[in-house]
Amino acid sequence: MKKTQSLLAKGLSLSFLTLCSRILGLIREMTKAKFLGTSALSDAFGIAFQVPNFFRRLFAENSVSVAFIPTFKKLLETNSPDGNSETQKKITQDFINATFTLVTFTTVLFVSLGMIFTPQILKIFFSKQYSAAMEESVVLTRIMFPYLIVISAAALFQGILNGLKIFSPSGFTPILFNSIVIAFTYLLAPHMKNPARAMSVGVIAGGCVQALFQIPFILRNNWKCTFTTLRKSFTNEHTRTVLRLIGPTIIGMAAYQLNDIVSSALATRAGEGVYSSIQYSLRLQELILGICAVTIGTVILPDLTGFVQKQNWESFCKMLTLSINIMAVIAIPITFYSMQMKENIITLIFASGKFNADSIQMTQQVFSCHIIGLFFIAVNRITAPAFYAQQDTKRPTIAGLANFTVNIILAYILSRPMGGKGIALALTIASAVNMILLFTFLTHNPSIHISNVIKPATFYMIKIIIFSIAASAPVYFIRQPVISMFKGRNRLISQGLPIFITACIFGITGIILMIITKDPLIKAIKEKLKHD
């Protein structure tokens, strides 16, 4: 119970910041929808932003962080050979400096090469008939490519703070980023050639602020990030441990990110606006994933690492099970509700400016295929830390390669008859395959009794599905009358109030069912509130 309350407390605190960030991220997409819609210019900006983001995810968030945090935490908990704490602190500081130098050198090198070869890179995404969009995308990509440098540094700073179990500063930086991008778009759009360039400048400014904001918190905890020589960086034994761990992870993440690249290339060739509709749909999905999966995955990694080092596999399995249950109670009900109210949700959020009726129709079709994979993706994002905590990056890499293969084959096959819907459905199926493989690979560790995780998690998932079906029934019957009641009024009332009313009915029904059945998560929340 104490572990449940602790995880919930950390998760709720970080979730609040993540919720604010994701809401602002959604507002950022609403701003993009207003200024760009599902036009060729919107596709050009989306592709341009994706290129540096590909390398960001490769070298920063999903590689450096998962390899850096376990190594850093191990150094924090290790005594120096001579028993002197200052000696151990120096060893740890040298490791931070070596890693910081290596990350900066690598990203500067990639940015330099990337800006030179931008036209060649973008030929992957644009066919000859979209040459005008490609020309603008080249300009936008070159504006945003340096974002990779500052956001990689920001990810390393986040790794240091998370290793110290300090989550709030890093959780706040995306709020700053999204706020800056939104503000720059409105302020600069009237003064630049097009709104996409204004957003691109905002991306660079926001990335710089994300990195700089975290530095005072690192200094306050008596650590710092300074440059050292490349020789010291490559010869530092602990940095070499990170590189050894990072190798397979980069391959796995490259496969995962290649999913996005190939899917994007297929989308841009499927017709104007298809790529943008997929991105708007994914933004809605990421809003939910950010609140639950990313938050819980961030919180549990240091604790799972501690359990592995202490060989406390029972606590390891309990925390993993609890995390999956939290995913189930968030992702599954949202999936059922979103399937019923998808048109209203998309209309409320995006329908303004250049985002017209065709954009709404295109986006909701894609969203239907994306949202059914929400639970699979959420579970994948919290299961992966279970491997990283064991410093096992090979098996998630194999799962990532399988995900890539399944997704690309299905996306290619399904995009022809189904367009954007086929690309979205391919991602959902591939995510399910990835989840199954990750749980299968957990059985390779004889200390982990995976049945103690899968059985309770499966029963709990089935229970939540039944509750979600029950909660969907009243929404199904009152949805149309409620929509008709507010029809013809402004968008906030005509779409917002039906969503609010139906969501309240859905949520209250589900909570009542959980209280009646004495759900353990409800009980843990009650205990936490009483304790506070």
Side-chain angles (χ1 to χ4, degrees), residues 402-474:
N403 181 302
F404 166 72
T405 304
V406 172
N407 184 58
I408 295 309
I409 292 173
L410 290 178
Y412 180 78
I413 294 171
L414 298 176
S415 63
R416 295 188 175 186
M418 298 175 66
K421 293 186 294 182
I423 295 171
L425 183 59
L427 178 61
T428 291
I429 296 171
S431 299
V433 171
N434 193 16
M435 183 187 74
I436 293 169
L437 283 175
L438 285 175
F439 280 109
T440 302
F441 290 153
L442 278 174
T443 62
H444 291 188
N445 185 337
S447 300
I448 298 176
H449 301 291
I450 195 62
S451 60
N452 293 337
V453 176
I454 293 178
K455 284 183 181 178
T458 301
F459 284 125
Y460 192 77
M461 179 185 68
I462 293 170
K463 183 179 84 169
I464 297 301
I465 289 174
I466 294 170
F467 285 1
S468 298
I469 294 171
S472 298

Side-chain angles (χ1 to χ4, degrees), residues 274-345:
V274 172
Y275 173 80
S276 293
S277 68
I278 291 174
Q279 293 305 305
Y280 291 128
S281 172
L282 285 172
R283 171 53 59 183
L284 289 177
Q285 189 181 66
E286 283 295 326
L287 172 66
I288 304 159
L289 285 170
I291 296 168
C292 53
V294 176
T295 296
I296 299 301
T298 300
V299 169
I300 68 173
L301 178 56
D303 288 331
L304 287 177
T305 302
F307 292 144
V308 171
Q309 291 175 0
K310 296 173 184 176
Q311 298 292 298
N312 188 348
W313 297 107
E314 183 180 354
S315 296
F316 181 95
C317 291
K318 285 182 178 178
M319 178 164 283
L320 185 58
T321 304
L322 171 63
S323 302
I324 294 170
N325 288 350
I326 293 173
M327 291 303 99
V329 84
I330 296 173
I332 293 173
I334 288 177
T335 298
F336 276 83
Y337 176 78
S338 298
M339 287 297 290
Q340 292 192 79
M341 300 296 293
K342 56 182 181 291
E343 182 177 355
N344 306 88
I345 294 170

Side-chain angles (χ1 to χ4, degrees), residues 41 51 56 63 85 91 218 238 314 422 465-466 499 510 518:
L41 183 59
V51 172
R56 170 181 69 92
S63 289
S85 60
I91 291 171
I218 294 173
H238 304 293
E314 183 180 354
I465 289 174
I466 294 170
I499 291 172
K518 297 180 179 180

Side-chain angles (χ1 to χ4, degrees), residues 385-407:
F387 290 93
Y388 302 141
Q390 303 172 64
Q391 296 194 343
D392 178 1
T393 56
K394 292 181 180 179
R395 290 186 177 91
T397 298
I398 295 171
L401 291 170
N403 181 302
F404 166 72
T405 304
V406 172
N407 184 58

Side-chain angles (χ1 to χ4, degrees), residues 50-111:
Q50 183 175 339
V51 172
N53 261 321
F54 168 77
F55 293 108
R56 170 181 69 92
R57 290 166 183 160
L58 202 61
F59 293 112
E61 294 175 358
N62 292 307
S63 289
V64 171
S65 294
V66 298
F68 176 84
I69 291 175
T71 308
F72 178 56
K73 186 173 176 60
K74 186 176 180 180
L75 283 172
L76 291 175
E77 296 177 352
T78 302
N79 294 321
S80 64
D82 60 3
N84 190 326
S85 60
E86 288 300 318
T87 302
Q88 185 61 26
K89 182 174 175 62
K90 184 181 184 304
I91 291 171
T92 308
Q93 183 61 67
D94 288 344
F95 163 63
I96 292 173
N97 294 341
T99 306
F100 177 62
T101 302
L102 197 59
V103 168
T104 304
F105 171 76
T106 304
T107 52
V108 168
L109 178 63
F110 265 85
V111 166

